Amino acid sequence: MESMLNKLKSTVTKVTADVTSAVMGNPVTREFDVGRHIASGGNGLAWKIFNGTKKSTKQEVAVFVFDKKLIDKYQKFEKDQIIDSLKRGVQQLTRLRHPRLLTVQHPLEESRDCLAFCTEPVCASLANVLGNWDNLPSPLPSDIKEYKLYDVETKYGLLQVSEGLSFLHSSVKMVHGNVTPENIILNKSGAWKIMGFDFCIQSTNPSEQEPKFPCKEWDPNLPSLCLPNPEYLAPEYILSVTCETASDMYSLGAVMYAVFNKGKPIFEVNKQDIYKSFSRQLDQLSRLSSSNLQNIPEEVREHVKLLLNVAPAVRPDADQMTKIPFFDDVGAMTLQYFDSLFQRDNLQKSQFFKGLPKVLPKLPKRVIIQRILPSLTSEFVNPDMVPFVLPNVLLIAEECTKEEYIRLILPDLGPVFKQQEPIQILLIFLQKMDLLLTKTPPDEIKNSVLPMVYRALEAPSIQIQELCLNIIPTFANLMDYPSMKNSLIPRIKNACLQTSSLAVRVNSLVCLGKILEYLDKWFVLDDILPFLQQIPSKEPAVLMGILGIYKCTFTHKKLGITKEQLAGKVLPHLIRLSIENNLNLNQFNSFICVIKDMLNRMEAEHKTKLEQLHVMQEQQKSLDIGNQMSVSEEARSTSTNNQIDKVFNNSGTDLLTSGSDGKENEMSSVQKKASLTLEEKQKLAKEQEQAQKLKSQQPLKPQATAITPPVKQTKDLTDTLIDNMSSLTSHPINKAQVASSNSFSSVPSMGVGMGFSSPIDSSKRNMTNGLNTNMGFQTAGFSMGAGLATQNFFSGPSAAGTTQMNTVPAANMPNYSPMNAASAMSPLTQQNRPPDMSALDNLFGPQKPKVSMKQLAQQKSNQWVNQFAPPSGSPNASSSVLGPQMNMVGQPGFGIQGNPFFSPQNFAQPANTMTNSSSASNDLKDLFG
């Protein structure tokens, strides 16, 4: 890498040194900056050609430099001869002005080291293009090395040389004397120009007479730079020492031969024995056949053969050569017309530019860029010609790369973008907007191209607005989104709302419909669709345009309309428009089809949403029910167990207290709930584990299970009651340590705990109940007291964990019989109040919870007991329902399942017993089957 940099540095240094040494001190450098060495030309390619610019105007030029070091080998007089010959040629060229002659912009300047003059910008000499690279820089410039002559260039170049010679021969009366490829220069635009008038011969006769050109004899002793190139010199120069205009035509034929044979001349001449060489050449020319000219195009082959004829009179003159069919090529004539364009008026120019798009595809790209494009862009200064020139320039731009477009075309288009007159300029740009947006840099698009589109939308001309609206969709995909959203769409909307032209309004809607796919969904929903409701016009074309936008938005995959928009804004608007009287049947059907499609989609989407919500709600409900059931079961089980344990763990003293004692018991029960036993904690832990398992499983649905009723074992209670009551008559009423209590503890709603209190004296009993010890039933009654443990109240088997119940008759009462007891209780109950049915209401109410068999039995027993309870306002409200002497002593473990009191056999009595308590017995029958 370092070696390459060093090599490049040395090359640049060498070139700079060559230029500096060659031009240093020359007056040309005072006005011109000399650039790089690009070519060589002139006789013997002695002139080095450099790029240059004029310091004052920055105009591009070519600087021709002859370095005097090239002739250091010659003697002084020879040097002077060479310098004089070179000066003569440049001075003659400077005096002559013609489009086919190289234009001199600064005359020859001489310094101690060099000769220099400036001309129009130059590309190379024809000799360089044909492969003669003498006096060229090293390395060889790539543009010369890769330069290729196209047929149209060759044809038109030879035509230009012929025209130049025609000018010299006819107008100047001059023979060039050295027409060679070295003296034909290709300028920057590719035109072939003649130079090298070192050996030109002016006619000695007056202009009105036949021209006569004196000729000098060939002197082989002169330096080569002081002699013309003998390979292109006519034979008469050497053999007869004569010359005329036909001698230049021979040189033209030799140049044409060299052009079609890659720079090789037709004859090679030995300069040391030039006479012998020309004698041999003369014989060959006399026998010249078409086979020797096979590389020359057939249509010009005969003309070349004529030009190379030995007899000067046979050779065509320059004017005749310009008219041969070979030069009647479309491309050559097009280039020729461009060269004479400054001579044409606007009408002729406009006709030519109209036909030019048909010719441009036939021309090579380099020829178009070099020769045609500069001529076209030069016409931009004429506003009347811009509409004719601009289509051709944009056509050329399509074939250029982006870099070429930016470098060669865009600088000239900048001022044209801002021209508003004539109006055709705007139309042409709009038609080629895709090209401009593709190849123009973003900054230039923003500053020049898009403002032109905005001006077109705001133009007062309806035709311009229509054309702009029709063209915008073709290049909308090339526009950046912010420009389209913030600048283009608002102007289209304004054009639609503010115009008085129906065509502009309809085209605005059509334009919006075509560019919807390039817009964002929410921008369309929030900006475009609400705009449609602002359009005041109700013409059918406008209504169909509105329908089209709705339909495009509705059916487009990227856009779409939400069901909320459909229901709230779109459908009401479309339904209102669909009944306009201006619509015909087909248009109405179009509206109805779109409305139905929208309704169907809205129905499907909302129905799907509701179905999904319903499924989610059902799933959530089943999950909540499962969790609630598991929690309810756990709560009820815990509550029941706690209540049963609380009732049977309390002492008899707690059951007999009233008022404040009851409140204290409630406080103590709350405290007992707070301190759980070990069994309760174990049970609670098991319940928590069970609840955790239920939560991890699917919700369980309760299943109804058939309850198998227990087998009834009917037992006659009458005989048992009679036997027990007869055994009670032997006990005295005032037996010591026997206390009776008419207090009956209330039973909780969720469970039943029944027992007998501890024995206490009669005074305590009376204070507790607030009643007299002799209080009882007036007609018949019984009292229940704490008797011996071996006496059975109901003569039946006693369950484990329960205390058998014994009764003693009161002193003032007859013996108890079941019939008397029933008959005594019924009137009292009926007189006090009707049976309390709240328990049944709670049992069969609408919000009956699911209860276990144990709980149901407790509820039923409560209802049966409450049927015989006195009203809350009676004096016996706090006494036992069975009489003032009844008392129950509870023991731990006393419950429904293990108590013979609640055994089904004890309640299976004949229908004629307990006739006044039929409702309670029916409930018990329903309970126990």
Side-chain angles (χ1 to χ4, degrees):
M1 184 65 181
E2 185 176 358
S3 61
M4 292 179 63
L5 292 175
N6 292 333
K7 183 177 180 181
L8 179 61
K9 181 179 179 181
S10 62
T11 303
V12 173
T13 305
K14 182 179 179 182
V15 171
T16 306
D18 292 343
V19 173
T20 303
S21 61
V23 190
M24 183 65 68
N26 195 292
V28 172
T29 58
R30 292 195 296 264
E31 297 184 25
F32 296 89
D33 291 325
V34 181
R36 66 185 183 92
H37 186 187
I38 59 172
S40 60
N43 190 25
L45 297 178
W47 293 91
K48 292 181 179 180
I49 305 174
F50 295 87
N51 279 333
T53 54
K54 192 171 184 178
K55 293 180 179 181
S56 58
T57 62
K58 301 300 179 183
Q59 181 183 2
E60 189 176 1
V61 297
V63 181
F64 283 71
V65 178
F66 175 76
D67 192 354
K68 292 182 178 180
K69 292 181 181 180
L70 293 176
I71 56 175
D72 285 344
K73 61 180 180 179
Y74 295 105
Q75 299 293 326
K76 185 179 183 303
F77 75 95
E78 292 176 333
K79 291 180 182 180
D80 293 339
Q81 288 177 332
I82 296 174
I83 296 299
D84 291 341
S85 176
L86 294 174
K87 285 181 178 182
R88 181 174 180 269
V90 175
Q91 290 169 355
Q92 188 65 47
L93 178 64
T94 304
R95 286 194 295 267
L96 297 174
R97 293 287 179 175
H98 192 268
R100 303 300 176 243
L101 305 181
L102 187 64
T103 303
V104 177
Q105 295 186 356
H106 189 83
L108 182 68
E109 298 283 357
E110 183 178 7
S111 65
R112 185 184 62 181
D113 297 324
C114 67
L115 299 175
F117 68 99
C118 296
T119 67
E120 60 182 304
V122 167
C123 175
S125 65
L126 181 60
N128 293 151
V129 172
L130 295 176
N132 190 347
W133 298 335
D134 293 343
N135 207 14
L136 283 176
S138 179
L140 193 68
S142 59
D143 51 351
I144 291 181
K145 187 176 182 181
E146 299 173 0
Y147 199 97
K148 177 184 178 182
L149 284 174
Y150 295 100
D151 291 340
V152 64
E153 289 183 292
T154 303
K155 289 181 180 180
Y156 186 56
L158 294 174
L159 176 61
Q160 288 177 309
V161 174
S162 300
E163 291 175 349
L165 293 177
S166 175
F167 166 72
L168 293 176
H169 297 166
S170 302
S171 301
V172 184
K173 306 294 182 180
M174 177 187 292
V175 174
H176 186 277
N178 192 22
V179 179
T180 62
E182 292 90 344
N183 288 323
I184 297 175
I185 302 296
L186 278 63
N187 68 2
K188 188 177 180 180
S189 62
W192 292 17
K193 304 265 181 130
I194 300 174
M195 68 165 292
F197 289 86
D198 303 1
F199 310 102
C200 62
I201 303 172
Q202 189 75 39
S203 174
T204 58
N205 289 341
S207 58
E208 66 274 1
Q209 296 179 2
E210 184 70 19
K212 183 178 181 180
F213 303 99
C215 182
K216 294 181 181 180
E217 186 177 356
W218 181 267
D219 186 358
N221 296 322
L222 291 176
S224 59
L225 292 178
C226 294
L227 295 172
N229 188 344
E231 293 175 344
Y232 296 90
L233 200 61
E236 58 267 19
Y237 268 104
I238 305 300
L239 299 179
S240 60
V241 193
T242 60
C243 68
E244 53 185 304
T245 56
S247 302
D248 284 342
M249 300 311 296
Y250 176 90
S251 300
L252 177 62
V255 169
M256 294 176 69
Y257 181 91
V259 167
F260 291 109
N261 286 273
K262 300 179 181 181
K264 183 180 179 181
I266 188 172
F267 299 115
E268 292 185 1
V269 177
N270 185 2
K271 296 179 182 179
Q272 300 300 327
D273 191 2
I274 193 155
Y275 293 102
K276 185 176 180 181
S277 296
F278 268 85
S279 298
R280 186 170 58 251
Q281 176 180 333
L282 191 62
D283 295 338
Q284 294 175 352
L285 288 174
S286 60
R287 297 193 300 268
L288 189 63
S289 63
S290 299
S291 61
N292 300 112
L293 308 174
Q294 57 184 358
N295 292 331
I296 299 175
E298 185 177 0
E299 59 266 27
V300 75
R301 190 175 297 167
E302 290 299 323
H303 298 91
V304 173
K305 186 177 180 181
L306 288 176
L307 291 173
L308 296 176
N309 196 283
V310 175
V314 181
R315 302 168 191 163
D317 59 31
D319 188 57
Q320 292 173 341
M321 282 297 298
T322 58
K323 298 176 182 178
I324 63 174
F326 178 70
F327 296 131
D328 290 340
D329 180 76
V330 175
M333 294 185 66
T334 301
L335 297 178
Q336 185 181 23
Y337 197 94
F338 270 107
D339 288 339
S340 61
L341 198 61
F342 64 94
Q343 302 173 1
R344 315 290 179 175
D345 57 20
N346 286 347
L347 180 61
Q348 293 174 326
K349 290 180 182 179
S350 62
Q351 295 296 328
F352 172 71
F353 289 141
K354 285 181 181 179
L356 185 59
K358 299 179 182 179
V359 180
L360 289 178
K362 302 178 181 179
L363 299 176
K365 178 180 177 180
R366 180 171 57 77
V367 174
I368 293 174
I369 292 176
Q370 282 187 346
R371 301 295 305 274
I372 297 178
L373 183 61
S375 300
L376 291 175
T377 55
S378 64
E379 292 292 327
F380 282 156
V381 296
N382 186 357
D384 294 334
M385 287 291 102
V386 173
F388 303 99
V389 174
L390 188 57
N392 297 291
V393 174
L394 296 179
L395 183 61
I396 296 173
E398 290 180 355
E399 301 299 326
C400 294
T401 63
K402 187 174 182 179
E403 293 74 15
E404 292 172 340
Y405 167 81
I406 295 173
R407 178 170 53 90
L408 301 174
I409 299 177
L410 185 59
D412 295 314
L413 289 180
V416 184
F417 285 141
K418 301 176 182 179
Q419 292 185 14
Q420 299 184 11
E421 293 294 337
I423 199 64
Q424 291 85 354
I425 298 175
L426 190 57
L427 300 181
I428 295 170
F429 275 131
L430 289 176
Q431 293 172 349
K432 294 291 184 178
M433 190 58 62
D434 54 344
L435 167 68
L436 299 177
L437 294 176
T438 302
K439 296 188 176 182
T440 307
D443 293 341
E444 196 67 25
I445 290 176
K446 185 177 180 180
N447 297 330
S448 301
V449 179
L450 292 182
M452 180 178 56
V453 179
Y454 305 152
R455 288 198 306 270
L457 288 174
E458 297 170 350
S461 172
I462 294 177
Q463 291 79 7
I464 294 295
Q465 288 182 330
E466 287 185 36
L467 179 62
C468 184
L469 291 170
N470 290 331
I471 292 174
I472 284 175
T474 62
F475 63 82
N477 60 323
L478 302 175
M479 291 186 63
D480 60 305
Y481 185 71
S483 298
M484 182 182 295
K485 177 181 176 181
N486 300 323
S487 300
L488 183 64
I489 297 298
R491 286 177 169 85
I492 296 176
K493 291 165 59 177
N494 290 336
C496 181
L497 294 176
Q498 297 176 2
T499 185
S500 59
S501 171
L502 178 62
V504 172
R505 184 165 291 159
V506 173
N507 285 325
S508 299
L509 295 174
V510 174
C511 179
L512 285 177
K514 291 181 178 180
I515 65 177
L516 283 178
E517 58 181 324
Y518 309 116
L519 301 177
D520 181 70
K521 174 181 179 179
W522 299 112
F523 177 74
V524 174
L525 296 180
D526 298 339
D527 195 88
I528 302 297
L529 298 188
F531 152 75
L532 299 179
Q533 302 184 16
Q534 303 174 10
I535 300 176
S537 179
K538 302 299 180 184
E539 289 82 0
V542 176
L543 298 182
M544 295 307 294
I546 295 174
L547 178 65
I549 293 179
Y550 276 129
K551 184 175 181 181
C552 290
T553 307
F554 176 70
T555 57
H556 198 278
K557 295 181 180 179
K558 172 187 170 184
L559 301 176
I561 306 178
T562 63
K563 66 178 187 297
E564 291 80 11
Q565 289 267 2
L566 287 175
K569 297 180 180 179
V570 177
L571 283 173
H573 188 216
L574 283 178
I575 293 173
R576 185 170 68 252
L577 296 181
S578 65
I579 59 174
E580 287 290 334
N581 296 330
N582 296 329
L583 297 177
N584 59 30
L585 180 59
N586 292 332
Q587 294 168 344
F588 174 76
N589 290 334
S590 300
F591 267 88
I592 295 302
C593 289
V594 175
I595 292 172
K596 288 181 178 180
D597 292 341
M598 291 181 175
L599 286 172
N600 292 336
R601 181 180 294 184
M602 184 179 68
E603 176 187 2
E605 289 182 0
H606 198 63
K607 186 176 181 181
T608 302
K609 177 183 176 181
L610 293 179
E611 290 175 351
Q612 294 175 352
L613 289 175
H614 178 71
V615 171
M616 294 173 62
Q617 291 173 356
E618 291 296 325
Q619 293 177 351
Q620 185 66 29
K621 187 183 295 183
S622 62
L623 182 61
D624 293 343
I625 290 175
N627 295 337
Q628 185 176 4
M629 289 177 58
S630 61
V631 173
S632 177
E633 287 294 337
E634 295 171 6
R636 291 193 187 99
S637 176
T638 305
S639 176
T640 302
N641 294 333
N642 291 340
Q643 289 176 357
I644 293 175
D645 293 340
K646 177 189 71 174
V647 171
F648 291 102
N649 286 334
N650 291 334
S651 62
T653 306
D654 296 331
L655 293 173
L656 294 175
T657 58
S658 63
S660 61
D661 293 338
K663 294 180 181 180
E664 293 176 0
N665 290 339
E666 291 177 2
M667 295 294 294
S668 63
S669 65
V670 173
Q671 294 175 357
K672 289 182 181 180
K673 287 181 182 179
S675 60
L676 302 177
T677 62
L678 180 61
E679 292 78 4
E680 291 173 342
K681 292 180 180 180
Q682 292 176 348
K683 187 175 182 179
L684 183 60
K686 291 182 180 180
E687 291 173 355
Q688 291 176 350
E689 293 178 1
Q690 185 65 21
Q692 189 67 26
K693 292 181 181 179
L694 289 174
K695 290 181 180 179
S696 62
Q697 295 178 357
Q698 293 292 333
L700 299 178
K701 296 183 178 180
Q703 298 181 355
T705 57
I707 301 175
T708 304
V711 181
K712 296 183 179 180
Q713 297 180 358
T714 307
K715 184 176 182 180
D716 191 1
L717 298 179
T718 306
D719 295 337
T720 303
L721 290 174
I722 294 173
D723 292 340
N724 289 334
M725 295 301 295
S726 62
S727 64
L728 292 175
T729 57
S730 60
H731 292 276
I733 198 168
N734 55 355
K735 187 173 181 177
Q737 301 296 327
V738 175
S740 64
S741 174
N742 59 356
S743 175
F744 189 84
S745 62
S746 62
V747 183
S749 61
M750 295 301 294
V752 179
M754 301 179 65
F756 297 94
S757 62
S758 302
I760 56 175
D761 56 9
S762 59
S763 62
K764 176 74 175 176
R765 179 196 63 206
N766 294 336
M767 292 176 63
T768 303
N769 294 328
L771 298 174
N772 205 337
T773 55
N774 296 325
M775 184 178 294
F777 295 101
Q778 299 299 323
T779 58
F782 67 90
S783 64
M784 298 180 68
L788 297 175
T790 59
Q791 294 175 345
N792 195 349
F793 180 71
F794 296 106
S795 61
S798 62
T802 61
T803 303
Q804 297 183 358
M805 302 172 65
N806 300 291
T807 61
V808 291
N812 55 356
M813 287 185 182
N815 290 336
Y816 175 81
S817 69
M819 292 297 294
N820 293 335
S823 62
M825 288 188 292
S826 180
L828 179 62
T829 306
Q830 293 176 359
Q831 291 173 5
N832 293 337
R833 63 175 178 87
D836 187 5
M837 302 301 292
S838 60
L840 291 176
D841 293 337
N842 293 332
L843 180 62
F844 298 103
Q847 295 181 351
K848 179 179 68 175
K850 181 175 178 63
V851 296
S852 62
M853 291 297 297
K854 180 178 179 180
Q855 294 169 342
L856 189 59
Q858 292 172 357
Q859 294 176 2
K860 286 294 183 178
S861 63
N862 293 338
Q863 296 170 11
W864 181 79
V865 172
N866 292 332
Q867 295 234 350
F868 300 95
S872 59
S874 64
N876 295 332
S878 61
S879 62
S880 174
V881 72
L882 296 179
Q885 307 294 331
M886 183 174 182
N887 188 23
M888 303 175 112
V889 180
Q891 296 294 333
F894 185 85
I896 293 176
Q897 295 179 356
N899 196 337
F901 181 82
F902 292 98
S903 177
Q905 292 83 352
N906 294 337
F907 299 99
Q909 299 180 11
N912 57 357
T913 63
M914 299 181 68
T915 57
N916 294 328
S917 59
S918 61
S919 62
S921 60
N922 288 335
D923 292 338
L924 292 175
K925 286 180 181 180
D926 293 337
L927 177 63
F928 295 101

